[in-house]
């Protein structure tokens, strides 16, 4: 078994992670009474929510266990050491803090200029309260996802494959991890078409892989992830009821264009 895990560590990680996610989603769906939601005031809904919350810890825990199993305790330094590599040019921090805000507002501007919708409020009205309420989760999920999907999965795949191949494989797996939650209407903003979400996950993986391969900085990636989540709370680009998701689709299209440009300029081998 050790030989198989050593040869296919990412395949094992992805398979176990998606299997665990499926089990959590299935248990959550089974526990929620008919006609109610996860946040309803009912014992079944409360238990379902408690189980559902544990989903975020599995990828990080598995990445840590597999790293120790394959590389010993010294492997943890490789897994987490990049968080201490913060001395990179200032332009990377500028990009990390602003990239999603820029793409979000550019997408809104493109939609308005094409006459497909009117300009929305500059920011969401409840952005600050939502950000304060969800601050711990925003940082925590960014840490989990960067460590599990980029630091563990992409970097290991790149030892034998191109950066583009690694990004495609991990982006699909990462997207499927979220896609299961869309069946419950939880964990993913409402109204995002599944195909747009999967395209966005591909673009995100390419973008983060390029950033990490260029900087080797886990700090930059963590900030990129944190402010990626924050942007959805601030920029009014998420779908709203009874309106076509033009703003979100425009963001996805622009992000895909950026990912293609990165592949074209920096090459598929190393990004």
């Amino acid at each position: 078994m050790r030989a198989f895990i050593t040869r296919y560590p990412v395949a094992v990680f992805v398979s176990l992670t998606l299997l665990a996610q499926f089990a959590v989603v299935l248990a959550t769906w089974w526990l929620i009474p008919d006609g109610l939601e996860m946040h309803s005031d009912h014992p079944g809904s409360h238990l379902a929510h408690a189980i559902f919350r544990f989903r975020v810890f599995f990828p990080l825990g598995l990445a840590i266990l597999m790293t120790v199993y394959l590389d010993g305790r010294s492997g943890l330094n490789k897994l987490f050491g990049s968080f201490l590599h913060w001395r990179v040019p200032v332009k990377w921090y500028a990009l990390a803090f602003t990239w999603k805000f820029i793409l979000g507002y550019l997408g809104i501007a493109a939609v308005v200029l094409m006459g497909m919708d009117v300009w929305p409020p500059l920011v969401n009205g409840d952005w600050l309260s939502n950000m304060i309420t969800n601050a711990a989760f925003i940082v925590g999920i960014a840490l989990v996802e960067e460590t599990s999907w980029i630091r563990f999965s992409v970097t290991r795949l790149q030892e034998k494959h191109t950066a583009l191949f690694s990004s495609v494989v991990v982006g699909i797996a990462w997207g499927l991890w979220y896609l299961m939650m869309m069946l419950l209407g939880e964990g993913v903003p409402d109204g995002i078409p599944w195909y747009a979400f999967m395209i966005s996950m591909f673009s995100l993986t390419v973008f983060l892989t390029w950033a990490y391969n260029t900087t080797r900085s886990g700090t930059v990636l963590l900030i990129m992830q944190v402010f990626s989540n924050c942007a959805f709370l601030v920029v009014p680009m998420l779908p709203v009821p009874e309106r076509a998701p033009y703003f979100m689709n425009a963001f996805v299209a622009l992000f895909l264009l950026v990912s293609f440009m990165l592949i074209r300029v920096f090459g598929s081998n190393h990004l």
Side-chain angles (χ1 to χ4, degrees):
M1 183 177 70
R2 185 181 182 87
F4 182 83
I5 296 175
T6 301
R7 187 173 183 180
Y8 305 108
V10 178
V12 172
F13 171 82
V14 167
S15 299
L16 292 177
T17 298
L18 294 183
L19 182 63
Q21 182 77 329
F22 178 74
V24 167
V25 170
L26 185 63
T28 302
W29 171 81
W30 183 74
L31 286 168
I32 299 174
D34 292 339
L36 297 181
E37 298 179 348
M38 188 183 301
H39 300 284
S40 300
D41 189 12
H42 185 278
S45 297
H46 295 165
L47 180 57
H49 188 222
I51 293 174
F52 186 72
R53 292 176 67 180
F54 277 101
R55 79 196 186 281
V56 300
F57 300 108
F58 187 86
L60 178 60
L62 182 59
I64 292 173
L65 288 175
M66 288 189 64
T67 297
V68 173
Y69 180 74
L70 294 171
D71 305 323
R73 285 181 148 184
S74 61
L76 296 178
N77 293 330
K78 181 180 179 181
L79 186 65
F80 293 103
S82 64
F83 286 110
L84 301 178
H85 182 206
W86 57 271
R87 291 186 176 181
V88 297
V90 175
K91 63 182 180 182
W92 284 102
Y93 286 101
L95 180 64
F97 281 108
T98 63
W99 73 271
K100 198 163 192 175
F101 293 90
I102 293 172
L103 287 179
Y105 283 117
L106 284 176
I108 292 173
V111 170
V112 173
L113 288 174
M114 288 187 290
M116 301 172 69
D117 209 330
V118 297
W119 192 273
L122 188 61
V123 297
N124 293 318
D126 54 356
W127 72 270
L128 184 57
S129 60
N130 280 337
M131 196 174 295
I132 293 173
T133 302
N134 297 290
F137 178 78
I138 289 172
V139 175
I141 194 65
L143 177 64
V144 168
E145 293 185 334
E146 183 206 328
T147 305
S148 305
W149 298 109
I150 303 299
R151 290 292 298 112
F152 181 86
S153 300
V154 170
T155 54
R156 284 183 181 270
L157 270 182
Q158 284 187 131
E159 294 174 359
K160 298 180 180 179
H161 303 282
T162 66
L164 178 58
F165 176 87
S166 304
S167 298
V168 171
V169 170
V170 173
I172 292 173
W174 194 356
L176 290 175
W177 188 79
Y178 271 107
L179 206 59
M180 293 184 205
M181 292 186 280
M182 295 180 77
L183 300 176
L184 297 173
E186 296 286 343
V188 178
D190 293 335
I192 299 179
W194 69 268
Y195 55 85
F197 180 79
M198 291 299 292
I199 293 172
S200 181
M201 292 307 299
F202 160 76
S203 301
L204 179 63
T205 311
V206 168
F207 183 69
L208 294 178
T209 299
W210 164 72
Y212 181 75
N213 285 352
T214 305
T215 66
R216 294 294 170 181
S217 174
T219 307
V220 168
L221 255 65
L222 183 61
I223 294 173
M224 283 182 168
Q225 282 279 72
V226 167
F227 279 84
S228 171
N229 295 331
C230 289
F232 276 144
L233 300 178
V234 177
V235 183
M237 59 179 162
L238 289 177
V240 295
E242 300 180 0
R243 294 182 68 177
Y246 292 134
F247 295 148
M248 188 65 204
N249 288 344
F251 162 78
V252 171
L254 285 174
F255 200 11
L256 182 63
L257 178 61
V258 168
S259 69
F260 284 159
M261 290 174 62
L262 291 175
I263 295 167
R264 182 71 178 87
V265 173
F266 296 97
S268 61
N269 288 333
H270 304 289
L271 278 178

